[in-house]
Amino acid sequence: MISFILNQRQLDIREKPGQNLLDFIRYQQDLTGTKIGCREGDCGACTVLEGRLRNNELVYRSIISCLTPLGNVHGKHIVTIEGLNLEQLSPVQENLLNHGATQCGFCTPGFVISLTGHTMSSQPSSTAAAIASVDGNICRCTGYKSIERAAISISHLLKDKDPERPLQWLVNNRFLPPYFAGIGKRLSGMAQERPPPGPAATLMGGGTDLMVQQPHNMARARLDLLFDKEELKDIRAADQQIIIGASATASDIMQSSLLQKHLPRIGKHFKRVSSEPIRNMGTLGGNIANASPIADLVIYFMVLGARLRLVNGQGERTLPLSSFFIDYKKTRIKKGEFIHSISLPLTGKPYLHNFEKVSKRTHLDIATVNSAMLIEVHEDQIVRCMAACGGVSPIPRLLKNPSAFLTGNRLTAANLRRAAEVLQTEIAPISDVRGSAQYKRLLARQLFMAHFLELFPGRFALNELIS
Amino acid sequence: MQNTDSRAHLTGRSVYVDDIPVQKGTLYGKVVFSGVAHGRVRKLDVSAALAFPGVEGVYTAADIPGENQIGGIISDELLFADKVVSFCGQPLAFVVARDENTAREAASQIVTEIEPFEAITDPRIACEKGQLLFPPRTFSLGNVARTWEQCAHVFEGSTETGGQEHLYIETQGSYAYPTEQGGIRIHASTQGPTHVQMTASRILGFPMHRIEVDVARLGGGFGGKEDQATAWACMAAMAAWKLQKPVKLILHRMDDMAMTGKRHPYSADFRIGLTADLRILAYQATFYQNGGAAADLSPAILDRSLFHSTNAYCIPNTEVTAYGCKTNLPPNTAFRGFGGPQGMFVMEAAIARAAHELKIPARKIQAKNFLKENDAFQYGQIAKNVNIGRCFETLAGKYPFEALDQEVDTFNRKNPLLKKGLAVMPVCFGISFTKTNMNQARALVHIYQDGSIGVSTGAVEMGQGVNTKILQVAAFSFSINPQRVRIETTNTTRVSNTSPTAASSGADLNGKATQLACNALLGRLLEAAARLLGSAPGELFIKDEEVWDKVGKTGIGWEELVSYAHQDRVCLTENGHYATPVIHFDRTTNKGHPFAYHVYGTSLWEATIDCLRGTYVFDRAVMVHDFGNSMNPDIDRGQAEGGMIQGMGWMTMEELLFDRKGQLLSDNLSTYKVPDIYSVPKKLECHALETTGPGVAILRSKAVGEPPLMYGIGAFFALQNAIRAFNPHALVDFHAPMTPERVLMRLYEGMGLPNLAPAQTSEEHRQES
């Protein structure tokens, strides 16, 4: 049994846990305001809000319903456009109206949902954050400027929001219908436990890969849903390490104050990972298990010396994240094992770390090539260097040769140029829809150099590095 | 006034095809299509699918009761492939089952064997082999051959522009069900209800009156649902007829992208000749239009490429030839601009080449050659009310170009990593269907006895606001509150024989028809008022819902007047018919007056390239646009901004990739990227040129749908100029879209690329996510 509140109404349903939320909303609940655009999380037309209790606090995030397995909404509040409507338009709807931000209207409910999600955020609003809230919504008609103008005025309205009682403020100011005030209590009264998944179940996190790649299999599959397992969501420091649970989402990671402390630019870097609603769903464990050659999170953490903790019924083992991948979509995971967490070693010094990604579209796109670097320099001497690159071989790859070449060498332009040449011997990109092999080779060099330009500002001139 | 649909859109209450409450017993369809681009169908065995539990029917070419033909201009396209397939994505069979999943699973049981033939995807190769969809066309003026030697400068080059996926967020779809007396009603997401009706009647072998097509609205069209919504409607209708059950077919995104045609890629050669003082004396070009496997709308699109091949310039000697090439790709089709953008790109490339060689900004050549009042277009029409010069000057007034150049130069000198580039893109676009007989429309206006009004026209609402504009026309004509007017769905039983809502002409044609109907009704109402008041009808008029005479208000309000007229047995329904006056075109001489008027505008683009990563942003895009006397500035601005960004997408990130076998590689939204909120220029300004607008435009408000798209071409040239600021040796080629890949490769051209191993290609991990 899956129990959740859909808009105002509690539902207790016996659907398969891997059926997608979108079809359930549209075709079983006849709530047709949520639209189907792509069924792969790339358009945002089916965006809904997910409210859940976390540490007794009701938090809302935008999610993509086409990629959400029904099992993942258990114990939560799901809000569709129908669940936001009042007699009069809400300030979000009104501003979109006044700025002419709707044309054909098919993407519009998704934008209303995302912007309403922004009004419910626990972070203070800013125009940048309001615009960022719709970075997963595609509009083919307006050219976005009217939407941007609406988002800016909505953000201005939120400056008076009561930080103590945000939900009540939103209700009082007609952003939300009154029933929202009672949701927290109703959720806490609902049974949170769920039946065990049974043997040989498929493991699923946020669903952002599996629900794209094999939606029909998932709809039938026996699933072990890891997404809401609190013990796998932990992000904490312990014994000179940072532990990140496999079910932590990209949003959890980028918003973690612990990670922000050690990786000050993680917010900026993670903005390049998909879109806000997908980051609200996609988990670290899923990104690792999917073993994509351009997995952003894998590349990001690999260079930090991340170790992977794999657990099964009998015990557990750890291995370096960089050695987890064998070949295209093949990993060292054994039957019965699941990814529990990764650990990042702390040295007492802040990480000197950078992440780069180039894709056809800067945001909400899959990398053509991505790259990360961790470097430690002592008086011009490179004490340690770890570089990784995705999209240039069948697996996300640690670049051992340039890293080894630089370690112990001096940080000079000549050495960097030499390292970039060494790098070319270690990669074997193929031509595909994301770019030609030649382009990816060139990008691999450029992004390798980008790390040094970013991490040592003013030290190198561009033409020294790429002449 | 905002789009009257806005409130429903914002509350999720607007109904699109897939939102129509289904009737009991509704069945669901799935199309099975060819995975081979060209070949002979050796086997098409549907028996296992037919036997699949839950399947109600499986249909192929053999099951079509009427004629297996959906071609529009030329009858060369089958609904289902028969003996030969000619593109990947060509429908072979239609499976109908109790639910979508069953239909999909059953469809996978269909066994096909196709013996592959050579597939052609390149239009130049098709042309060499004589594979043309229709005879080539040439537009000319003066004598090009004799002019070259008078030119101080002659430059040549070639161009490539890629296709463009429409990416309407609502995919193609139809819902069809049987009605009484042997009829079929089809709810379709189509810009061309009559085209659907005619073609379904052809497929079913029915007279047209047995097929009713109803369209409430589209979740985006952009030309992609002008002709190509038809096949899906025909399949649903055919199955509904055969099974006497409701049948719904909504395409999944990947099926939609695989099966439907897109904007035509063009390959072209040009030659341009200029005087020493930059007057363009001669222009010669050859266009190779990649038409795909069937003609679809290609002949008309090719014509518009020719009409707009000299953009906003007066060139005394021109010769432009265009070939509609038959390739093994899905039949390419209408897309906002309709061949105009492809034609203009070649002209602008020629100017850019000349400017590059002469080391001057392209705008100096552009400005020197703008059309002036009474200049002749190459197709014979005399240019009237020419606004291109004023648009350009207004833009220059807001952004003095020389000062901008200096700012950019200074920036580029100071920044080794970032380089800026500027470009100006003028546009002149003709308004009217170039096929003269399509320029007609009808409107059916009912005044109900309570004074409320219902209007039906042939226009289809797809976000462009045509219904709102028609509502404004009706309210304005009667001088009544707009809330009294309701625009009905577009339905072939109310308004018949319609032209598709296309060519930016929806508001002009249907608005004018509405105006005619309203004016006739107004005349009758005023006659009735005169009888009631005992005065002469010529002395009466309606203002703000009241009848006035010379002296003032008569005390008769709108509702009273309507009620009286009804009692007085006055006909309160009128059918307005409008046919655009003046226009004509002779296709044998290629001369005439094909356009009711032209829309003008000029845009400015400023791009910044990250020369390390090859990525870029647009800092600024500004347009000065000739809206005429806009009847709805909110809607028109939305159209202008949206068009400009769609054009930018076409020129920058939107890249359709096919492999050599004709298989689409960029077949979903994770591989085909359209602009998102971060891709658009940081600043986008839309300035309306102050003009009165032509009388032939509805309420003097010019058509606005397509022209702004072509501003996007400026994005390409701004990037090209920024690349040259970094790498003066970069190839000045004209290959769009300018993706980050093309940018980076050009930035580092001739600058010692990394030691490259031989390029490897593998399909193995192509689909990555």
Side-chain angles (χ1 to χ4, degrees):
Chain A
M1 178 101 84
I2 299 165
S3 299
F4 68 107
I5 301 172
L6 178 59
N7 299 329
Q8 287 211 57
R9 207 151 60 92
Q10 179 168 338
L11 300 177
D12 302 288
I13 56 171
R14 296 195 178 280
E15 302 298 321
K16 294 273 192 186
Q19 192 198 320
N20 72 73
L21 175 61
L22 170 60
D23 283 344
F24 178 79
I25 290 170
R26 279 185 60 83
Y27 303 121
Q28 280 168 263
Q29 297 295 312
D30 299 322
L31 298 172
T32 53
T34 306
K35 304 299 182 194
I36 305 178
C38 70
R39 290 186 182 274
E40 55 171 337
D42 265 314
C43 78
C46 70
T47 309
V48 297
L49 294 174
E50 174 218 70
R52 60 178 167 160
L53 289 170
R54 233 181 147 178
N55 307 322
N56 282 323
E57 198 191 334
L58 180 57
V59 288
Y60 283 89
R61 286 177 167 185
S62 57
I63 60 167
I64 300 293
S65 63
C66 68
L67 302 185
T68 300
L70 270 177
N72 274 0
V73 306
H74 180 70
K76 296 179 184 168
H77 181 209
I78 295 297
V79 188
T80 68
I81 184 75
E82 290 86 354
L84 290 179
N85 288 334
L86 286 157
E87 193 86 345
Q88 290 172 305
L89 297 182
S90 76
V92 167
Q93 291 164 326
E94 216 165 53
N95 273 285
L96 288 165
L97 174 81
N98 294 339
H99 288 278
T102 171
Q103 288 187 21
C104 86
F106 203 77
C107 70
T108 305
F111 277 92
V112 173
I113 290 279
S114 294
L115 284 164
T116 303
H118 170 72
T119 69
M120 300 167 84
S121 163
S122 56
Q123 308 291 316
S125 179
S126 64
T127 57
I131 292 166
S133 73
V134 296
D135 68 5
N137 295 88
I138 295 297
C139 170
R140 191 56 157 160
C141 295
T142 60
Y144 298 99
K145 281 293 165 186
S146 51
I147 295 168
E148 198 176 282
R149 292 188 279 267
I152 291 168
S153 5
I154 291 163
S155 172
H156 290 158
L157 295 177
L158 294 172
K159 65 179 190 298
D160 300 328
K161 194 167 99 177
D162 178 358
E164 300 302 316
R165 300 169 68 226
L167 218 54
Q168 193 58 53
W169 186 89
L170 291 168
V171 168
N172 293 346
N173 288 279
R174 297 188 304 102
F175 283 86
L176 298 174
Y179 78 86
F180 271 78
I183 292 292
K185 206 170 166 195
R186 288 172 69 188
L187 284 182
S188 62
M190 279 168 66
Q192 296 292 321
E193 70 277 9
R194 48 174 91 222
T202 303
L203 301 173
M204 190 189 284
T208 57
D209 273 312
L210 285 174
M211 297 294 283
V212 176
Q213 292 162 11
Q214 354 174 3
H216 308 300
N217 293 339
M218 291 303 113
R220 280 188 288 249
R222 194 197 304 275
L223 293 178
D224 188 358
L225 296 167
L226 307 173
F227 188 75
D228 287 313
K229 295 198 172 169
E230 282 300 327
E231 68 274 22
L232 297 180
K233 291 189 99 69
D234 228 14
I235 301 173
R236 66 194 158 86
D239 307 333
Q240 288 301 301
Q241 297 183 95
I242 297 174
I243 312 288
I244 309 175
S247 290
T249 63
S251 293
D252 295 337
I253 293 170
M254 70 192 283
Q255 286 160 14
S256 149
S257 51
L258 176 67
L259 286 166
Q260 284 172 359
K261 186 181 141 204
H262 291 278
L263 296 158
R265 289 191 297 174
I266 194 166
K268 182 185 151 206
H269 290 151
F270 268 50
K271 253 195 84 66
R272 301 294 319 285
V273 179
S274 198
S275 63
E276 185 165 313
I278 298 287
R279 288 193 299 267
N280 289 339
M281 300 165 70
T283 62
L284 171 65
N287 198 243
I288 296 170
N290 183 47
S292 158
I294 37 71
D296 287 325
L297 272 58
V298 171
I299 293 293
Y300 194 84
F301 289 117
M302 190 185 262
V303 296
L304 296 171
R307 287 188 74 82
L308 196 57
R309 184 171 165 204
L310 298 167
V311 176
N312 66 12
Q314 284 73 52
E316 61 172 70
R317 61 182 174 124
T318 69
L319 73 168
L321 178 57
S322 58
S323 68
F324 182 60
F325 308 97
I326 304 169
D327 200 349
Y328 180 65
K329 295 254 177 182
K330 283 198 189 117
T331 70
R332 294 192 195 282
I333 201 156
K334 291 180 190 155
K335 214 171 175 188
E337 276 185 331
F338 69 92
I339 298 168
H340 180 279
S341 55
I342 65 168
S343 60
L344 310 174
L346 289 172
T347 57
K349 281 183 248 170
Y351 293 121
L352 203 50
H353 172 267
N354 188 45
F355 175 72
E356 294 284 335
K357 171 175 174 174
V358 168
S359 44
K360 198 168 276 176
R361 187 173 67 199
T362 304
H363 294 87
L364 180 51
D365 198 359
I366 294 165
T368 303
V369 174
N370 53 9
S371 180
M373 177 171 286
L374 175 76
I375 192 162
E376 208 182 313
V377 177
H378 186 68
E379 291 176 355
D380 261 15
Q381 200 79 17
I382 300 169
V383 179
R384 187 159 71 117
C385 174
M386 296 273 262
C389 200
V392 292
S393 71
I395 58 168
R397 185 172 202 101
L398 207 55
L399 297 168
K400 293 191 175 126
N401 300 347
S403 303
F405 171 80
L406 286 177
T407 303
N409 255 317
R410 286 170 61 77
L411 183 64
T412 63
N415 280 335
L416 297 185
R417 289 200 301 271
R418 178 75 194 116
E421 281 169 30
V422 171
L423 180 159
Q424 296 293 333
T425 64
E426 205 176 347
I427 62 175
I430 57 165
S431 293
D432 64 12
V433 70
R434 303 199 193 287
S436 67
Q438 280 191 330
Y439 171 54
K440 291 178 188 177
R441 280 193 177 273
L442 178 56
L443 261 186
R445 178 188 81 177
Q446 301 297 106
L447 298 190
F448 183 75
M449 294 307 189
H451 297 309
F452 297 97
L453 288 168
E454 287 287 316
L455 294 173
F456 304 96
R459 176 146 184 171
F460 301 104
L462 179 61
N463 59 8
E464 284 183 282
L465 299 182
I466 54 174
S467 61
Chain B
M1 184 180 189
Q2 296 295 349
N3 189 318
T4 50
D5 270 354
S6 298
R7 277 168 196 275
H9 291 345
L10 286 157
T11 50
R13 292 184 179 116
S14 297
V15 175
Y16 304 82
V17 172
D18 194 31
D19 304 333
I20 297 170
V22 290
Q23 301 182 17
K24 210 172 169 198
T26 291
L27 303 171
Y28 297 81
K30 163 84 183 175
V31 186
V32 176
F33 57 85
S34 171
V36 175
H38 192 200
R40 187 191 327 276
V41 182
R42 287 208 174 280
K43 188 176 183 183
L44 177 62
D45 180 358
V46 304
S47 53
L50 205 48
F52 197 88
V55 169
E56 301 278 329
V58 180
Y59 306 105
T60 65
D63 301 301
I64 292 174
E67 194 189 346
N68 184 9
Q69 184 53 247
I70 60 168
I73 298 173
I74 300 171
S75 290
D76 68 347
E77 188 176 354
L78 305 178
L79 180 64
F80 294 113
D82 196 357
K83 297 180 182 69
V84 171
V85 291
S86 49
F87 62 94
C88 276
Q90 186 170 15
L92 288 164
F94 185 52
V95 180
V96 181
R98 65 188 170 205
D99 58 55
E100 262 196 288
N101 256 333
T102 307
R104 183 183 49 78
E105 282 180 47
S108 68
Q109 307 287 310
I110 290 179
V111 182
T112 56
E113 270 178 36
I114 298 172
E115 176 194 346
F117 299 157
E118 186 198 11
I120 299 173
T121 57
D122 182 331
R124 289 186 190 248
I125 293 173
C127 191
E128 264 170 38
K129 298 195 174 197
Q131 292 288 312
L132 297 180
L133 290 161
F134 42 87
R137 307 256 295 139
T138 299
F139 278 24
S140 62
L141 183 69
N143 189 321
V144 169
R146 279 194 225 138
T147 311
W148 299 118
E149 58 190 28
Q150 300 166 31
C151 296
H153 312 286
V154 177
F155 304 108
E156 292 178 344
S158 56
T159 69
E160 298 283 340
T161 48
Q164 186 176 24
E165 163 63 41
H166 302 84
L167 219 106
Y168 26 66
I169 309 288
E170 179 206 29
T171 57
Q172 304 270 4
S174 278
Y175 185 38
Y177 46 87
T179 55
E180 289 180 22
Q181 297 172 30
I184 295 281
R185 184 176 296 136
I186 307 172
H187 297 275
S189 182
T190 180
Q191 294 172 241
T194 293
H195 189 255
V196 167
Q197 183 194 20
M198 276 174 67
T199 314
S201 103
R202 197 170 181 183
I203 292 290
L204 287 167
F206 286 0
M208 284 169 74
H209 71 183
R210 278 169 64 188
I211 294 173
E212 173 183 349
V213 179
D214 189 89
V215 185
R217 64 173 57 75
L218 318 187
F222 315 114
K225 296 172 180 172
E226 182 174 346
D227 258 25
Q228 298 221 351
T230 300
W232 329 113
C234 287
M235 288 179 198
M238 178 177 141
W241 172 247
K242 292 228 169 202
L243 295 163
Q244 287 297 302
K245 288 270 183 70
V247 174
K248 182 148 115 172
L249 170 60
I250 306 291
L251 298 189
H252 278 226
R253 177 63 64 184
M254 283 176 74
D255 288 354
D256 185 311
M257 290 179 78
M259 292 192 285
T260 62
K262 294 134 198 353
R263 183 190 296 285
H264 293 72
Y266 273 47
S267 189
D269 300 318
F270 63 78
R271 197 170 192 217
I272 187 171
L274 302 96
T275 62
D277 68 344
L278 306 179
R279 290 251 350 267
I280 305 172
L281 275 191
Y283 177 63
Q284 190 172 35
T286 309
F287 299 160
Y288 300 90
Q289 178 198 50
N290 192 334
D296 193 274
L297 291 162
S298 295
I301 291 163
L302 186 105
D303 276 4
R304 199 172 269 274
S305 299
L306 293 168
F307 281 116
H308 296 320
S309 57
T310 54
N311 193 8
Y313 312 110
C314 177
I315 304 175
N317 302 284
T318 66
E319 186 181 282
V320 188
T321 298
Y323 297 92
C325 306
K326 184 176 179 180
T327 60
N328 298 111
L329 297 181
N332 285 318
T333 192
F335 196 137
R336 204 174 193 172
F338 205 74
Q342 293 97 318
M344 287 183 197
F345 181 86
V346 183
M347 179 80 251
E348 295 302 322
I351 290 174
R353 165 57 47 84
H356 172 66
E357 300 290 343
L358 299 172
K359 299 186 171 35
I360 52 166
R363 63 166 191 272
K364 301 220 160 159
I365 301 176
Q366 291 168 333
K368 193 85 184 181
N369 292 280
F370 282 144
L371 282 159
K372 292 181 192 67
E373 203 66 15
N374 299 319
D375 278 344
F377 286 96
Q378 60 177 343
Y379 43 89
Q381 185 164 344
I382 301 304
K384 295 283 179 192
N385 303 312
V386 177
N387 282 330
I388 188 64
R390 285 185 55 212
C391 287
F392 183 86
E393 284 150 24
T394 307
L395 182 64
K398 292 180 190 299
Y399 290 97
F401 297 131
E402 311 288 335
L404 272 185
D405 278 345
Q406 279 193 0
E407 269 175 43
V408 165
D409 285 345
T410 309
F411 179 93
N412 288 346
R413 266 198 311 277
K414 282 187 184 162
N415 280 282
L417 190 66
L418 302 175
K419 298 291 176 195
K420 281 184 188 285
L422 293 171
V424 170
M425 177 65 200
V427 169
C428 164
F429 194 83
I431 300 302
S432 287
F433 286 102
T434 57
K435 191 174 174 190
T436 302
N437 66 4
M438 290 174 77
N439 295 287
Q440 54 169 311
R442 277 154 298 282
L444 180 66
V445 180
H446 297 313
I447 303 176
Y448 294 98
Q449 49 192 298
D450 66 352
S452 66
I453 291 173
V455 181
S456 295
T457 73
V460 170
E461 174 63 39
M462 48 193 150
Q464 85 281 40
V466 68
N467 280 357
T468 307
K469 288 186 172 179
I470 288 168
L471 187 149
Q472 286 180 276
V473 168
F476 175 82
S477 302
F478 294 122
S479 190
I480 55 168
N481 187 332
Q483 285 178 344
R484 290 194 189 271
V485 186
R486 176 186 164 89
I487 307 297
E488 306 290 353
T489 62
T490 313
N491 186 298
T492 53
T493 67
R494 270 178 268 120
V495 180
S496 62
N497 307 321
T498 59
S499 291
T501 301
S504 308
S505 66
D508 273 355
L509 297 177
N510 295 283
K512 287 275 186 183
T514 303
Q515 200 174 33
L516 288 171
C518 291
N519 288 343
L521 286 165
L522 180 65
R524 295 207 284 269
L525 285 173
L526 291 177
E527 281 169 17
R531 284 194 294 279
L532 183 64
L533 293 163
S535 50
E539 293 168 358
L540 300 175
F541 59 97
I542 299 175
K543 192 179 150 198
D544 299 334
E545 303 226 322
E546 296 207 56
V547 180
W548 291 56
D549 61 17
K550 283 180 199 158
V551 187
K553 289 182 187 177
T554 61
I556 309 283
W558 171 256
E559 286 182 18
E560 192 186 342
L561 173 62
V562 169
S563 172
Y564 171 77
H566 178 60
Q567 295 302 322
D568 200 31
R569 297 190 294 176
V570 172
C571 173
L572 294 178
T573 288
E574 183 66 30
N575 183 48
H577 170 79
Y578 177 72
T580 313
V582 185
I583 54 172
H584 58 88
F585 187 67
D586 181 344
R587 280 181 56 88
T588 54
T589 58
N590 290 327
K591 300 287 176 194
H593 189 102
F595 298 116
Y597 57 91
H598 290 80
V599 171
Y600 297 92
T602 305
S603 65
L604 168 73
W605 289 80
E606 182 181 319
T608 301
I609 293 183
D610 176 331
C611 297
L612 178 64
R613 299 169 181 89
T615 52
Y616 47 78
V617 292
F618 293 100
D619 307 296
R620 192 174 4 226
V622 186
M623 66 180 118
V624 175
H625 187 83
D626 167 20
F627 292 101
N629 180 24
S630 174
M631 67 184 288
N632 193 320
D634 290 327
I635 284 176
D636 285 351
R637 181 186 183 184
Q639 286 294 294
E641 290 184 351
M644 189 176 201
I645 296 307
Q646 209 167 46
M648 181 202 82
W650 173 53
M651 283 285 111
T652 55
M653 69 182 72
E654 295 187 35
E655 187 175 34
L656 279 171
L657 290 163
F658 292 88
D659 69 14
R660 283 193 199 90
K661 292 179 189 161
Q663 176 95 40
L664 178 65
L665 300 178
S666 47
D667 61 352
N668 58 31
L669 268 67
S670 66
T671 48
Y672 184 81
K673 309 310 284 189
V674 298
D676 66 344
I677 198 163
Y678 290 126
S679 317
V680 299
K682 286 184 205 156
K683 278 189 193 155
L684 197 159
E685 293 174 27
C686 174
H687 301 284
L689 185 76
E690 281 187 27
T691 54
T692 47
V696 72
I698 183 68
L699 301 180
R700 297 188 175 272
S701 181
K702 284 189 172 184
V704 71
E706 290 167 292
L709 184 128
M710 281 145 277
Y711 293 141
I713 292 171
F716 178 93
F717 292 100
L719 289 171
Q720 188 174 63
N721 290 333
I723 292 169
R724 284 172 48 203
F726 180 78
N727 180 2
H729 309 296
L731 183 69
V732 180
D733 66 345
F734 304 99
H735 196 158
M738 191 68 99
T739 57
E741 173 166 2
R742 291 220 169 86
V743 170
L744 193 71
M745 297 310 273
R746 274 151 193 71
L747 285 171
Y748 289 92
E749 205 161 58
M751 291 174 78
L753 291 177
N755 222 353
L756 300 179
Q760 291 169 289
T761 310
S762 158
E763 290 301 297
E764 190 193 350
H765 43 288
R766 184 181 69 70
Q767 276 297 319
E768 200 33 63
S769 58

